[in-house]
Amino acid sequence: MSRDDQPDLLSDLSDLDFVRHLLADLHDDLPGKVGRFRMLTDLGGQMGRSGTMIFGGHAAYHAWVEARSSFVHGNYVATILLCQGLVEHLLAAYLHAGLLVDDIPDRIQFADTLRRCREREVVSDEDVTDLRRMMALRNPLSHFRHVDDGSNLDRRSIDESRSADDLLRHDAIFSIGLAVRMLSRPAFRLG
């Protein structure tokens, strides 16, 4: 029995139908995607001519690659979540790498990572403030918050009289910019 003899059990869409959907998705918001790509390119200049060292192995590397792609495609929640994950891996792995004589626990809390990195001047006071802000943006996206909680996205939208989409876009721009800023810190910058 060939594939043509057996109908698809999960979908009545043909391969050509799927291609049409993918092309429409590629076409939708094309000017926005180009603008976000340009923004990433401009931000990437902060990393210097030789680039950056991404501590944290495959998890950190893929978080960075997927955060960029998510940002370009307008997947703002994913961008925020991935940037937070990237920074957590980057900073903790840097401490763990032994470049700074430090014995860190197997499962270090982000607040402890920030404290240790600040003590060793890997990050500045401004960085710590902004990293805590990003963590505060990520937490209500990762963990349920009642609508009465000020960090709940719907509550923020009401309180700030802005659409949730606009808030997420703004938060994603902040998060991707902060991720680039961390990758551009002297501890990670090459050359």
Side-chain angles (χ1 to χ4, degrees):
M1 182 180 271
S2 73
R3 178 164 162 43
D4 296 329
D5 295 334
Q6 182 178 0
D8 189 339
L9 298 175
L10 302 177
S11 174
D12 59 354
L13 296 175
S14 70
D15 287 349
L16 186 55
D17 292 328
F18 282 115
V19 168
R20 285 185 185 120
H21 285 287
L22 290 171
L23 288 174
D25 185 52
L26 176 65
H27 179 269
D28 289 348
D29 190 33
L30 200 53
K33 289 176 184 177
V34 169
R36 289 186 294 274
F37 199 161
R38 284 186 189 281
M39 184 185 298
L40 272 178
T41 301
D42 292 345
L43 286 171
Q46 296 176 31
M47 287 190 249
R49 189 173 253 198
S50 299
T52 189
M53 170 67 75
I54 299 178
F55 286 83
H58 291 290
Y61 171 74
H62 287 286
W64 173 234
V65 169
E66 292 179 23
R68 291 182 312 186
S69 178
S70 293
F71 181 70
V72 168
H73 289 283
N75 299 320
Y76 299 134
V77 170
T79 301
I80 297 162
L81 298 174
L82 288 162
C83 287
Q84 174 70 27
L86 163 67
V87 171
E88 285 196 38
H89 281 275
L90 180 74
L91 296 176
Y94 182 77
L95 293 172
H96 181 69
L99 298 174
L100 303 171
V101 178
D102 206 351
D103 186 25
I104 66 169
D106 291 341
R107 291 184 176 198
I108 189 168
Q109 296 292 314
F110 190 52
D112 190 23
T113 299
L114 287 180
R115 180 186 56 77
R116 290 172 188 235
C117 285
R118 181 62 198 117
E119 287 171 356
R120 288 151 185 86
E121 298 183 1
V122 175
V123 295
S124 68
D125 288 336
E126 179 187 4
D127 294 334
V128 170
T129 299
D130 287 346
L131 288 164
R132 286 186 178 136
R133 176 179 166 206
M134 184 168 59
M135 185 171 52
L137 294 172
R138 189 248 357 184
N139 284 341
L141 298 173
S142 296
H143 310 289
F144 174 77
R145 299 291 189 268
H146 190 276
V147 73
D148 291 336
D149 186 308
S151 65
N152 175 290
L153 183 60
D154 296 318
R155 170 59 41 196
R156 286 179 59 213
S157 177
I158 293 166
D159 291 346
E160 297 181 33
S161 298
R162 293 170 62 187
S163 72
D165 291 341
D166 187 46
L167 289 171
L168 287 171
R169 182 181 57 78
H170 182 265
D171 295 346
I173 290 169
F174 168 77
S175 297
I176 199 81
L178 182 56
V180 169
R181 193 167 94 209
M182 290 300 98
L183 290 168
S184 301
R185 297 288 301 165
F188 309 111
R189 193 172 170 159
L190 299 173

